[in-house]
Amino acid sequence: MQNNKIVRAYSIKEVSKKINIPTGTIRQWEKDLNGLLVIPRTKQGARFFTENEIELLKKIKEMRAQNVSKDMIRSLLQKHFSEVS
C-alpha cells in the first residue's frame, strides 16, 4: 500500500516564527552543522523545511539553551544519526 501522506513545507521565515529563532541563526546552524543539518532547497535555491527539520532545529535550540557547545552538538547528532541508520 502506498503512503500518500502530504508533507507540509515551510519557509525559513515561517520556521523562524514557529520556533522563535532568528532566520540568521538557522542559517548559521546549517553552516556549523554542515552535513548533519541538511535543509532541502527548491530548484531556485530557497530553503524549505518539513516537520523533520523543524524537530531537529527544536532539539538544537534546547541544547543551545543549555549552553551545549557547537562541537558537542555536532558529536551528539553524529552519534544519533549513526544509531538511526
Side-chain angles (χ1 to χ4, degrees):
M1 196 160 172
Q2 281 186 321
N3 185 0
N4 290 334
K5 186 178 171 190
I6 296 173
V7 177
R8 168 82 160 90
Y10 300 88
S11 70
I12 193 167
K13 204 175 221 178
E14 290 171 315
V15 173
S16 171
K17 284 182 183 171
K18 190 172 180 150
I19 63 173
N20 198 27
I21 297 273
T23 57
T25 301
I26 295 171
R27 289 186 190 100
Q28 187 60 51
W29 288 350
E30 184 181 12
K31 262 187 221 167
D32 293 343
L33 301 170
N34 189 17
L36 293 172
L37 177 59
V38 179
I39 308 299
R41 293 180 182 251
T42 65
K43 288 179 184 173
Q44 294 80 22
R47 292 169 180 85
F48 68 91
F49 299 78
T50 64
E51 290 299 331
N52 292 337
E53 288 81 29
I54 293 170
E55 285 306 311
L56 187 53
L57 287 170
K58 286 179 185 175
K59 287 179 182 143
I60 294 167
K61 179 183 177 182
E62 285 174 25
M63 288 189 274
R64 292 300 293 147
Q66 296 171 4
N67 291 322
V68 176
S69 72
K70 290 174 190 170
D71 290 337
M72 180 56 84
I73 292 171
R74 175 175 274 287
S75 297
L76 291 168
L77 288 178
Q78 284 172 330
K79 187 173 191 278
H80 170 73
F81 288 132
S82 68
E83 289 172 0
V84 170
S85 58

